[in-house]
Amino acid sequence: MSTTVQTGIDIQPFQSEFPQKALNDLRERIAATRWPTKELVSDRSQGVQLATMKELARYWATDYDWRKAEAKLNALPQFKTEIDGVDIHFIHVESRHEDALPLIMTHGWPGSVMELIDTVGPLTDPTAHGGKAEDAFHLVLPSMPGYGFSDEPTELGWGPIRIGRAWDELMRGLGYTRYVAQGGDVGSQVTDAMGRLALDGLIGIHTNLLTPALGDVQALSASPPTKEERAALDQLDAFHATGTGYFVEQATRPETIGYALLDSPIALAAWMIDHDTDAYEKIARAFVDKEPSGNLTREHIVDNITLYWLTGTGASAARSYWEEGQEGVRAAGQAPPPVSIPVGFTSFPGEIWRTPRSWVERAYPNVPIYFNEVDKGGHFAAWEEPELFAEELRSAFQPLR
């Protein structure tokens, strides 16, 4: 059972209301795009392919309707509150089931709350989605500082640890004294940090990207590596060799790429969909072949890109990688505090690497572990497979109810 208390936090209702002139300007900018020539290879090894971008641009400028996405957002309870000097936007959906477990979920890059909102129904109203009333969550979906409708920080230091502390303040401000946290991509770094902060109200975490593997991954493997570990190491090697261009740029020079992301919607779209091979190929098929992968449809992909464009957060979101890197520099040579609460992890087949159970157990020793491998979904698992994702969270956090 969750426990709530009343606090004096100042929370203001929020609605998205972009003027039509902003949408007209967007279409005009798409129409004025200066296109590069076609790539000289038959795959994505030179980057986002011209055919994918031409079809994305055509759909965005002629068929897409932002007002549908705006109505979807505005149908949910949205709020803003100031935490540590930054106005934070969040969605807060309270389940009709009184004993629901409070859950805060953190999106990543190039995501936003748009990638999570289709999990709202399955998580808050499980009886309508094949679950039981006792599986319900009270759900909080914040936009990270510098993303979407949250304000950009005006000072340095907003890395995963500081965001994790802000999320704890948010949950306490909402009256939740006992809650769980989930995150993927950058959100997994925030959630991992929360698990190491010994926050009084946090009783468990779940991630779908193993943050500790971004550090000394060899320390997580057996010697010699098992078959599963060897496969994961090979996937990580391939990612480091050919897939980290966006990561390096945002971690070292986010302002430089920011000029293109704020000036050209096509540059923004190309930058955002060039993330990992599995996600890119699914997105390309959604546009070129009209074959979406689960919930990863043309409309939903462009919903997310348009949110970045209209809020002008391409550069500020990129800075989150720089901030994470700087936080790592400050902590160099110091062992991170251990996680002392239960940890859940779901391994999705399309993730950048397929995490073995042994890595999760070594990353989070001496705590109860929930681990499961599922047969569909990728890096944007909550977006692509919201029903399956919700089912995983129900299973992972069931022992904590």
Side-chain angles (χ1 to χ4, degrees):
M1 179 182 298
S2 64
T3 303
T4 63
V5 296
Q6 295 301 315
T7 69
I9 189 171
D10 182 20
I11 296 173
Q12 300 296 324
F14 176 83
Q15 292 270 281
S16 170
E17 298 176 355
F18 288 105
Q20 185 59 40
K21 65 179 182 180
L23 301 178
N24 295 341
D25 174 72
L26 169 59
R27 292 191 178 95
E28 290 170 3
R29 287 172 180 265
I30 295 172
T33 299
R34 295 177 62 190
W35 293 98
T37 56
K38 185 178 183 298
E39 63 278 358
L40 302 179
V41 292
S42 60
D43 56 21
R44 69 175 291 249
S45 60
Q46 288 190 337
V48 176
Q49 293 157 297
L50 185 62
T52 299
M53 288 310 304
K54 283 288 189 83
E55 180 55 27
L56 187 156
R58 185 208 63 76
Y59 171 79
W60 200 1
T62 61
D63 297 349
Y64 175 71
D65 182 4
W66 164 255
R67 297 303 184 197
K68 290 174 61 178
E70 195 167 56
K72 192 173 182 179
L73 276 169
N74 288 339
L76 296 169
Q78 298 179 86
F79 306 91
K80 274 197 159 187
T81 188
E82 183 179 323
I83 301 176
D84 198 5
V86 175
D87 273 354
I88 298 296
H89 164 265
F90 63 98
I91 295 168
H92 180 206
V93 183
E94 295 182 85
S95 174
R96 61 189 176 90
H97 303 292
E98 293 183 0
D99 291 340
L101 180 64
L103 164 65
I104 184 167
M105 290 175 62
T106 310
H107 65 80
W109 184 93
S112 66
V113 292
M114 298 302 301
E115 70 175 287
L116 302 176
I117 59 177
D118 285 323
T119 66
V120 170
L123 289 170
T124 62
D125 188 14
T127 56
H129 296 266
K132 302 175 182 177
E134 55 265 32
D135 293 331
F137 295 91
H138 297 308
L139 187 60
V140 180
L141 304 177
S143 297
M144 289 202 301
Y147 285 73
F149 298 112
S150 284
D151 284 2
E152 297 183 18
T154 57
E155 63 180 13
L156 299 178
W158 277 95
I161 293 173
R162 189 168 178 179
I163 296 173
R165 293 190 187 280
W167 282 187
D168 181 61
E169 184 173 340
L170 174 60
M171 294 302 277
R172 288 186 289 108
L174 293 173
Y176 297 128
T177 60
R178 184 176 183 271
Y179 68 94
V180 293
Q182 198 285 328
D185 192 81
V186 176
S188 72
Q189 297 175 327
V190 173
T191 304
D192 176 88
M194 293 177 73
R196 299 178 189 279
L197 286 171
L199 303 170
D200 287 342
L202 183 63
I203 62 171
I205 62 173
H206 176 281
T207 70
N208 47 288
L209 184 77
L210 190 66
T211 289
L214 297 173
D216 184 7
V217 67
Q218 299 294 337
L220 299 178
S221 297
S223 182
T226 66
K227 179 181 177 181
E228 291 79 11
E229 291 171 348
R230 182 71 266 164
L233 289 168
D234 289 345
Q235 288 177 311
L236 268 167
D237 285 345
F239 175 66
H240 287 306
T242 64
T244 58
Y246 76 92
F247 188 103
V248 173
E249 180 71 15
Q250 295 192 158
T252 59
R253 295 292 188 273
E255 194 75 6
T256 302
I257 190 60
Y259 296 105
L261 303 183
L262 270 291
D263 187 64
S264 166
I266 294 304
L268 174 69
W271 187 254
M272 290 175 68
I273 69 173
D274 192 13
H275 184 270
D276 65 281
T277 299
D278 178 77
Y280 170 76
E281 290 178 348
K282 289 171 179 174
I283 291 170
R285 285 198 299 271
F287 285 100
V288 177
D289 302 322
K290 312 300 189 292
E291 296 178 359
S293 177
N295 204 42
L296 207 58
T297 65
R298 294 185 302 171
E299 181 178 36
H300 292 161
I301 293 160
V302 176
D303 284 345
N304 185 56
I305 299 169
T306 306
L307 179 63
Y308 273 72
W309 176 261
L310 293 175
T311 57
T313 50
S316 56
R319 289 187 198 120
S320 66
Y321 279 67
W322 188 92
E323 287 284 10
E324 190 278 330
Q326 294 301 302
E327 193 169 270
V329 169
R330 292 192 293 272
Q334 305 173 37
V339 173
S340 59
I341 55 177
V343 173
F345 188 89
T346 302
S347 179
F348 291 89
E351 186 52 272
I352 297 172
W353 70 90
R354 183 72 152 170
T355 297
R357 182 186 184 104
S358 58
W359 284 10
V360 179
E361 292 174 339
R362 293 189 186 104
Y364 302 107
N366 305 317
V367 296
I369 297 287
Y370 168 87
F371 179 87
N372 192 32
E373 290 184 331
V374 294
D375 60 3
K376 57 183 177 180
H379 186 74
F380 302 100
W383 199 3
E384 185 181 351
E385 300 290 344
E387 296 276 356
L388 173 61
F389 196 83
E391 182 180 339
E392 279 300 296
L393 296 195
R394 291 195 291 264
S395 298
F397 291 126
Q398 183 58 45
L400 302 180
R401 293 182 181 272

